[in-house]
Each structure stands twice: as C-alpha cells, then as structure tokens.
Amino acid sequence: MTHPHRHRRRRGFLPAALPAALAAATLAGAGLTALSGDPAEAATARQVEKLDRGVVSVHTGSGNLVSWRWLGTDPDDVSFNVYRAGTKVNSNPVTRSTTFFHSGGPAHADYTVRAVVNGVEQGDSVHAVQFRTGYKDVPLSPPAGGTTPDGVSYTYEANDASVADLDGDGALDFVLKWQPTNAKDNSQSGYTGNTVVDGVKLDGTRLWRIDLGRNIRSGAHYTQFQAYDYDGDGRAEVAVKTADGTKDGTGAVIGSPSADHRNSSGYVLSGPEYLTMFDGRTGRAMGTVDYVPARGTVSSWGDSYGNRVDRFLAGTAYLDGARPSLIMARGYYTRTVIAAWDWRNGSFTRRWTFDTDSSTDKGKGYDGQGSHSLSVGDVDNDGRDEIVYGAMAVDDDGDALWTTRTGHGDAQHLGDLDPSTSGLEYYKVSESTSQPAALYVDPANGAVRWKLGACCDNGRGVAADVWPGSSGPEMWSSSDGSVRDEGGAPKGRKPSSANFLAWWDGDPVRELLDGTRIDKYGTSSDTRLLTGSGVSPNNGTKSTPALSGDILGDWREEVVWRTGDNRALRIYSTPHDTDTRITTLLHDTLYRTSLAWQNTGYNQPPHTGFFIGADMPTPPRPVVFTP
C-alpha cells in the first residue's frame, strides 16, 4: 500500500534547510525566542539536555560499528571524522549517517569522533563506550533483602529504569527502581519489602540510593518516578511519591522515621503522602510537598480495601511549550486527578489540577477513562503538550479536551504514526467487554477514525511501521487475528508479539521487541535479529526490558535488560550499519518525554513526533535550546 508523502512541519521542528546551530544559538542566547523556517509560523524552542556525542563501538567479529549522536544543536550540514587512538580511519568526512564501520578493528579499539563545521574540524568527542561482546554491562549492587512482619523473606530484582544526565557531564545516567521479590499488584494483599531507587553512572558508579521506606508499598502501580531537568540548571532531578520514613540519598529521613501506617493486609491506607524532588547528583531531598490528590476516603475511589485508591501515573510535559513540567496523577477506574507541577528556583509550584470530581464542569464525564499508562504530546498543534490519559485527553492548561468514553485499557500509543495525515495519531486497546477492543483516534479532538467490535479484555496492542516494503503504520492487538492498516482494514499476518518495539537494523522500519529478543517482521514469518544472553525481562507477563530507547550512539534504539543475577544492567546496541541520518531522538521532545514515562504503570515503547518508517520524508530538525 502506498501513501502520498509530503513534508509536514510541526511546531518544535525545523525544516532541514534551516541551520539548526544558528537556531540553537539564537534561542539559547535569547532564552525562549521563537525561530522557524517560515517567519509567519514561528516555533517555540524547547529546553533539552546538553548531551555529549554518546559514541559507541559495537564489535561484530569483522570489525567495529562506531556510531554517535547528531545533536539538535548541530548544523544541518555538519559532517564527521572518526579517529582510532588519534589516527583518522575514514577517508572522507561522514555525511550519509552518523555511523562508520571500521573493518578489522579489534574489540578493544578506542574511538573518538570530531565534527566538521564549515570545513573546520572541531575537537575530540568523548571516547566510545565499547560493546566488545555486543553488549555493555553496568555493574549493580542489589540492596540487602529482608523479612516482612508476616515472616516472608525477600530479595531484590532490578526493575524499571530511566535515563537522565544526573550530574551535568553530558552523559546519560541510569535511575533504577529496585523491586522486592514480594512486590504486589494492588489487588493482592500482603506485606512488601521497601522500594529502593538508585542513581547509577554508565561505569557502575552509584551516585546515591533512596529508600522509599515501609509506607510506600512495592509494585508496578505504586512508584512512578520521573527523571528530567525541570529547572534548566543542566542537571536532572528525580521526582517520586514519598511518605513517612523515606530516606534520601544523604541518609536524611522525610517525615516521621518511626511511623508505620501499614494495616494487617499490608496496604497503606492512612498517614501523610508526599511528593519529593531529589537532587540528581546526590539524591538529597530538595523539596517536599503534600501529594495531590490526597487519598481522602479510600472507598470513594471504587473499593474499600485499597486497590483503586493507589493507582498512580506520572509523566513530564512541556505545558508552556518551552520548559518541562512534572505530571503526577492518581486513579483511572473511577475518579481521576492529574496535578501539574513546576520545579523552579528550588521549590514546587502547582500549575493546575484536573479532577473528575470537580465541583465545576471541568472534568465532568471524564471519570473511569484512564489506562495503566499515559502519553504526552502536542496533539492539537498549538506548541504546548497535552496529557493523553487512556480514553481521554487533558489540555495543556488543565482543562478537559476530549473523551471517547471507551473506558480503561492496558496499552496505548501516541506519535506521528501515519505520514499521510497531519499531526499525531493515537491507538489504544480496551479492557472492557462492552467497549471496542481497539480504536484508532485523532488525538486533536478525540474523533474515532475506526474501531473494532467489543469482545474481551484486550490486554496488549502495538502501533508502528513494522512491515518492510509497505509504507504507513500497522496496528495489531492480542484479540485481533490480523495486522491492520491506518484505515482499519486487515493487512496481513499478525506479528509474533504485541509488546514492545525497537529501531534496530539499518532501515527505518521498526522491529518487534518481546521478552529477551528482537525480531524482524515478515509477511510469512518473523526473523530473529537478537536474543539477549544471560538476561531476564521484567514485570511478569508484560515481559518488558528495564528500558528501551535511543540512549547512546545514533538514532537507533538500545535495549537494557537486567542480568539473571541482578548484578548488572546489560545494554545491547545495534551492530547494523545504516544510511539513514536522523537527529538523536533524545532531542525530539515527544520521544524524550516518552522515555521519561516509560517506567509508568504497564511500560510502553516510546514514539516520535515525526514519522520514521518506509518511504519516510526528510526528517525535520528540532527547535531546541540547552541550559
């Protein structure tokens, strides 16, 4: 199937013809000055991380694939030279991609990259991270296990992770949630061990450890953390829900150190609840406020034993179009409350609160529409982000935007999925037997473009261009017998998994990520591209990695799994060369905020604010500034 491909400019992106370095310099110097290829349609610049080149060297047996970042602040016409131990190994500057295959290079070879701007070679990049056996291990130190009051012993597993530049050196660091082996779903009674959060550098250096304490229950729905540079000081902060007894990275305790609010079933249904912002360098608690919303009467959330009251979600959004704000939420089966916070000058300010129980009409009719995750993006193309919260969306100012009234679901996908239509698209599956099993929505206004009939609890669904040779998106789900096109028509054989995604090989068509493997979709069968060695997935039947995303090298995505002994995070980076050149996805803010919320609830893969896939148009450049 073919589609008319036309270049579309979205706010926050530059056409490739406009030098991004000039834009970045102007914007950085002026703070928030708007600049665009069309003076009549200026795009507000967005604050992003000031990253290094993120150079990696992946050994393949016949040589090394060296790849690096094309930054949003680089000129459009920048080229690169690759050096091994100070000797240039490429004959001509690299322009077709941000990769170079050094044939015959040994696994231990040391590489740097130098940008060439206006014919002038710049200084050396950071040294390449070496993937000598196809992967890189980040050493970990698991917390000590323990025993709960009911006599159950537990140890720890490395669970969900995120990345951010915690110390301002230009390299991404890991923020890792350690989950006890007796973690519980909200519907399950019983005590749990404490949830622990670590800040870890790529070489395994632990920057800090935060122990959330006995009054934060452990499980997929209780602790949603966000790691992002909210105040623009060049270093990321970490935000998370806390309680009495939480111990920060310096050993200081939040609230009462002796309080124990657990009931005999292990639930925490009384006592204060807090929101704390931690320093990314030290783990020090810099500011703590009451969590919004308070739990209030437990039964008002849908049951009296503690299942629905403690369903939390979190995200990061550019609500003013330029700087990031923190999103913290509670509830989705019945009442839903979303609070937006700014972290500026060392303190919290609440920007707005959306409450489906509001005494005004602000959230009326929006109850019960949340999913086990959320998405963030500029759905109405006004330059500011909205919160897509299952079967509803909240505008950048906290007002209700739309709801399809199709209820709760387990998976959702927001991004520029279809190159033939303007703006973003949204695909969601539903849990209710009385609601459409899946639907494809215009997220600007909630209009349903197509939907499947009601059938069942449709637990997983995916949307992406995974079909080589066929442009445009594919969508499929657990309950559907076929993969479908953007019009909802059956398109062919359904892929072997409906879980995660990864850009892995050399073409822009995305691959299937499930468990500890990556597969290439084919019309008759899928082809195995990677099977992780000595690693384990997370989150039970969800079988998700600790993290997947473009965190190093060029625009393709890395996959991070925990090793079976929980002693390391094992990072895999692609060994495949490419002739496609795309700005690092970390400077596409829809993608970057997707990485930030990936750990939330039932983890979902990140998507981009522009289309990547077969027959894609020239990728746009982002309009960004760095602290």
Side-chain angles (χ1 to χ4, degrees), residues 423-491:
L424 305 179
E425 292 79 37
Y426 181 57
Y427 176 72
K428 173 189 174 292
V429 297
S430 299
E431 184 172 295
S432 172
T433 58
S434 63
Q435 295 290 354
L439 58 159
Y440 188 53
V441 175
D442 182 347
N445 54 24
V448 178
R449 293 176 176 173
W450 59 261
K451 60 184 178 182
L452 301 181
C455 72
C456 51
D457 178 352
N458 194 14
R460 302 295 284 176
V462 184
D465 182 13
V466 299
W467 191 318
S470 178
S471 58
E474 287 77 45
M475 283 151 277
W476 68 100
S477 63
S478 299
S479 71
D480 199 1
S482 175
V483 65
R484 296 181 182 272
D485 65 17
E486 71 281 359
K491 191 172 181 178

Side-chain angles (χ1 to χ4, degrees), residues 51 73 75 144 162 184 208 220 228 248 257 267 358 379 431 482 530 542 556 582 596 602 618:
L51 299 170
T73 51
S162 191
K184 307 290 185 186
W208 44 260
Y228 221 89
D248 78 2
Y267 289 98
S358 171
V379 301
E431 184 172 295
S482 175
L530 173 69
K542 298 299 180 286
R556 270 90 56 83
I582 301 175
Y602 292 168
T618 301

Side-chain angles (χ1 to χ4, degrees), residues 14 19 45 85 142 155 159 164 240 248 265 412 420 422 485 493 570 577:
L14 285 173
T155 57
N159 190 247
V240 68
D248 78 2
S265 296
Q412 57 186 38
S420 66
S422 180
D485 65 17
R493 186 189 70 85
R570 183 159 291 171
D577 206 349

Side-chain angles (χ1 to χ4, degrees), residues 143 148 154-157 159-160 177-197 210-224 241 262 265-268 306 310 312 539:
T148 51
Y154 61 90
T155 57
Y156 278 91
E157 292 179 344
N159 190 247
D160 296 335
K177 181 175 78 170
W178 288 99
Q179 189 160 280
T181 50
N182 62 353
K184 307 290 185 186
D185 185 83
N186 297 47
S187 62
Q188 301 168 352
S189 64
Y191 292 93
T192 71
N194 298 359
T195 295
V196 174
V197 182
I210 296 167
D211 185 338
L212 295 181
R214 65 171 70 95
N215 295 307
I216 296 289
R217 206 162 185 250
S218 294
H221 304 291
Y222 296 99
T223 293
Q224 326 296 349
K241 181 176 179 286
R262 296 173 295 182
S265 296
Y267 289 98
V268 181
D310 279 354
F312 300 101
N539 303 315

